[in-house]
């Protein structure tokens, strides 16, 4: 998933992630330029899903 795709749909996806994984906080969902690996690591840790699975799920959301 490229940065432009992530940034363009982030607000929508953020809401969907919070709905599905209620334990995610605003800090967990804070996406910052240059900290991609840290962000994906937090998502993997909180959801128990692999990065590729998370990306696939987000893309399916639209």
């Amino acid at each position: 998933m490229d940065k432009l795709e992530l940034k363009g749909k982030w607000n929508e996806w953020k809401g969907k992630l919070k709905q599905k994984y209620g334990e995610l906080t605003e800090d967990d969902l804070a996406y910052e330029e240059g900290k991609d690996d840290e962000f994906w690591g937090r998502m993997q840790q909180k959801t128990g899903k692999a990065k590729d699975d998370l990306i696939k799920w987000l893309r399916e959301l639209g």
Side-chain angles (χ1 to χ4, degrees):
M1 174 170 292
D2 65 23
K3 291 175 188 175
L4 186 58
E5 181 181 3
L6 184 62
K7 285 178 71 174
K9 296 182 179 182
W10 184 240
N11 286 333
E12 178 184 347
W13 287 344
K14 191 163 79 167
K16 301 278 184 178
L17 281 163
K18 281 178 146 181
Q19 287 174 7
K20 184 158 177 88
Y21 302 100
E23 68 275 5
L24 291 172
T25 66
E26 282 295 319
D27 287 341
D28 293 329
L29 296 169
Y31 175 78
E32 298 177 44
E33 290 284 332
K35 294 191 174 184
D36 297 351
D37 290 336
E38 184 179 326
F39 167 77
W40 288 113
R42 284 193 315 262
M43 292 298 98
Q44 289 174 292
Q45 188 175 38
K46 290 280 184 155
T47 64
K49 293 189 176 284
K51 179 180 175 182
D52 291 340
D53 293 335
L54 286 168
I55 290 171
K56 181 181 176 192
W57 183 71
L58 289 171
R59 284 188 171 146
E60 287 173 354
L61 292 175

